[in-house]
Amino acid sequence: MAAHRGYVRRKCIACRQHNEGGSFGFSGGKAAKHFPGGGATKNGFDPHYDYGKEEVFPGGMLENNLLPFKAAIDAGTSAIMPYYSIPVGTKYEEVAYGFNKAILRELLRKQLGFKGIINSDTGPINMMPWGVEDLSIEDRYAKALEAGVNIFSGNADPTLLLKAAKEGSAQIKYIDESVLWLLEEKFMLGLFENPYVDEKKANEIVGNASFQAKADLAQRKSIALLRNQDKFLPLNGGIKVYFEAYFRPHGRTGNTEPQIYTKSEYSNHITFVNTPDAADIVLLWVKPSMRPLFPSNDKPLRVVLSECAVDVGDINQLIAKKPTILAINFTSPFVINEIYNEESPSIKAVLATFGCTPEALLDVVTGKFKPQGKMPFTTPISEDAVLKNKEDVPG
């Protein structure tokens, strides 16, 4: 994720199938995306949209984008997905990466040595053909094939691709090349020898205790301790704690009842109470909620809490009552200075979570698990700092 100029680009870098029409799901091989990175879009807008299609490099750091892909290739990734963005102000042709021969054939294959499948990402032919909008569908297929794309996602109808091949705009040699890459992957995975799975194995694998233990450990390891004033954490035994999780879905009007935790398994260490007035300490877990990316418009997705379904006034009233441990669920690189800065007298500790359970957070707060997580992105000190940051330069 990257936050630039007050906007947020929320698109995964690690490979997963998510909602992209089976992208990478066809083989089960290792995959990575989006090549060659996508966080430097102009003003931070998302390249799924026309107003976000340009990727700019005012800091001259395109080479930095390649570092994770070099590591992925060295680790044996077998599929890479280029992004929708158009590189602007570089030596490369100003067409989207999926149509960009110098990016895919010269940079990815020749310079970086990638020897696997190039997946188009979903919809660059008919939905996001940035830089080639004036070409026909058939000519877009031809340009993407020549650039090096081997599989097209998001469109299950090959009619126009076949038409382009029959009429000669899409050269058969590039189609043959793609078939070879895809067949090689399937042979390496053993799908021709044994394409079936053992259905009975599902009961042994799904939700088994060993996997759950690893998931529980991963959650605890993910939590990052950002501030710990005067070694306030871990909490001492016998202390009274008001533990509230604050979450309001974006766009919902009216009051939302807070979720108050009273976990009995911690009763021998800390005592949970139902009101902040009865507590020695407030443990507040804020879960901001952003405007959905789809559908969207050309208005920025701001990362300040007051724009992310957080009533800053209510929060500040609560944390003023008692010494407070503040946990923020960072689904994006939120700017939190509306409720916390280094001068905030009542906030004694700040933690970052990434979708963990309450039990995982409590284990860290109470010292049952030592915090060891690291932030995967910069947490901006203010929105002004975001606005002044160059698109391709780390915060």
Side-chain angles (χ1 to χ4, degrees):
M1 299 183 206
H4 301 298
R5 302 188 182 278
Y7 313 146
V8 172
R9 186 187 69 78
R10 294 189 295 168
K11 190 69 174 160
C12 52
I13 293 175
C15 60
R16 60 172 177 251
Q17 186 170 343
H18 71 293
N19 62 349
E20 303 220 331
S23 305
F24 296 156
F26 69 95
S27 70
K30 299 175 183 177
K33 62 181 185 179
H34 293 92
F35 189 79
T41 48
K42 188 175 181 179
N43 292 328
F45 280 120
D46 193 280
H48 284 85
Y49 301 100
D50 179 80
Y51 51 79
K53 63 187 178 183
E54 294 184 355
E55 188 162 38
V56 295
F57 300 92
M61 300 191 74
L62 172 59
E63 187 67 24
N64 255 34
N65 281 9
L66 304 179
L67 295 176
F69 293 99
K70 291 178 180 178
I73 292 168
D74 289 343
T77 188
S78 61
I80 284 181
M81 178 184 284
Y83 212 19
Y84 305 119
S85 313
I86 297 173
V88 175
T90 71
K91 64 181 181 180
Y92 298 105
E93 182 184 4
E94 292 192 0
V95 295
Y97 294 126
F99 299 98
N100 206 308
K101 186 175 182 179
I103 290 287
L104 299 184
R105 291 196 182 272
E106 297 298 322
L107 177 59
L108 178 58
R109 289 217 184 271
K110 287 188 178 180
Q111 293 183 38
L112 301 187
F114 177 60
K115 300 184 184 301
I117 298 161
I118 297 177
N119 185 310
S120 75
D121 205 342
T122 299
I125 297 297
N126 57 349
M127 293 188 293
M128 289 149 283
W130 308 144
V132 296
E133 292 93 333
D134 294 337
L135 296 183
S136 67
I137 296 292
E138 294 90 334
D139 286 342
R140 292 174 193 171
Y141 273 123
K143 187 170 180 64
L145 283 167
E146 184 177 359
V149 169
N150 306 124
I151 185 170
F152 295 97
S153 296
N155 185 353
D157 182 1
T159 304
L160 294 179
L161 173 57
L162 293 172
K163 180 182 177 184
K166 289 177 180 178
E167 294 179 353
S169 59
Q171 296 185 50
I172 292 296
K173 67 177 182 179
Y174 295 129
I175 295 175
D176 289 345
E177 173 191 63
S178 295
V179 171
L180 182 62
W181 284 116
L182 293 164
L183 286 174
E184 185 177 82
E185 172 81 349
K186 291 179 182 291
F187 276 115
M188 289 179 67
L189 289 168
L191 297 181
F192 286 96
E193 291 81 3
N194 182 18
Y196 304 106
V197 297
D198 183 354
E199 295 179 6
K200 294 179 181 179
K201 277 287 184 182
N203 292 329
E204 299 175 21
I205 295 172
V206 176
N208 72 61
S210 175
F211 288 177
Q212 185 60 54
K214 291 179 180 179
D216 292 341
L217 178 61
Q219 288 195 22
R220 284 153 179 79
K221 283 186 173 182
S222 74
I223 297 172
L225 180 61
L226 305 183
R227 293 286 187 276
N228 191 18
Q229 182 179 322
D230 300 324
K231 297 183 178 179
F232 191 78
L233 295 178
L235 295 181
N236 295 320
I239 202 164
K240 296 178 181 179
V241 176
Y242 173 74
F243 180 14
E244 175 183 324
Y246 181 100
F247 173 72
R248 176 180 296 166
H250 197 280
R252 179 176 293 182
T253 58
N255 294 327
T256 302
E257 288 296 320
Q259 189 172 5
I260 302 170
Y261 291 96
T262 56
K263 296 293 183 181
S264 60
E265 61 265 35
Y266 288 89
S267 60
N268 62 345
H269 188 72
I270 56 177
T271 301
F272 290 97
V273 295
N274 293 322
T275 66
D277 291 333
D280 299 315
I281 288 173
V282 170
L283 171 55
L284 177 62
W285 193 9
V286 178
K287 303 178 181 181
S289 175
M290 296 189 70
R291 190 184 81 215
L293 180 60
F294 300 108
S296 189
N297 52 44
D298 60 356
K299 293 181 180 179
L301 290 173
R302 297 175 62 201
V303 289
V304 294
L305 295 182
S306 56
E307 293 288 331
C308 298
V310 175
D311 190 324
V312 171
D314 280 356
I315 294 294
N316 283 325
Q317 286 182 12
L318 174 58
I319 63 181
K321 294 178 181 289
K322 296 290 172 70
T324 300
I325 302 164
L326 175 65
I328 303 285
N329 195 55
F330 279 97
T331 54
S332 285
F334 297 115
V335 178
I336 65 173
N337 67 332
E338 292 169 300
I339 61 175
Y340 172 76
N341 58 64
E342 292 186 349
E343 305 301 322
S344 301
S346 61
I347 297 179
K348 305 300 182 183
V350 182
L351 299 109
T353 66
F354 303 92
C356 68
T357 63
E359 290 78 11
L361 177 58
L362 286 169
D363 275 359
V364 170
V365 167
T366 60
K368 289 187 175 182
F369 191 90
K370 185 177 180 180
Q372 54 190 275
K374 305 293 184 184
M375 292 299 288
F377 44 65
T378 299
T379 49
I381 195 170
S382 67
E383 188 174 26
D384 186 57
V386 176
L387 294 170
K388 291 178 179 178
N389 196 54
K390 294 179 180 179
E391 286 90 340
D392 62 328
V393 178

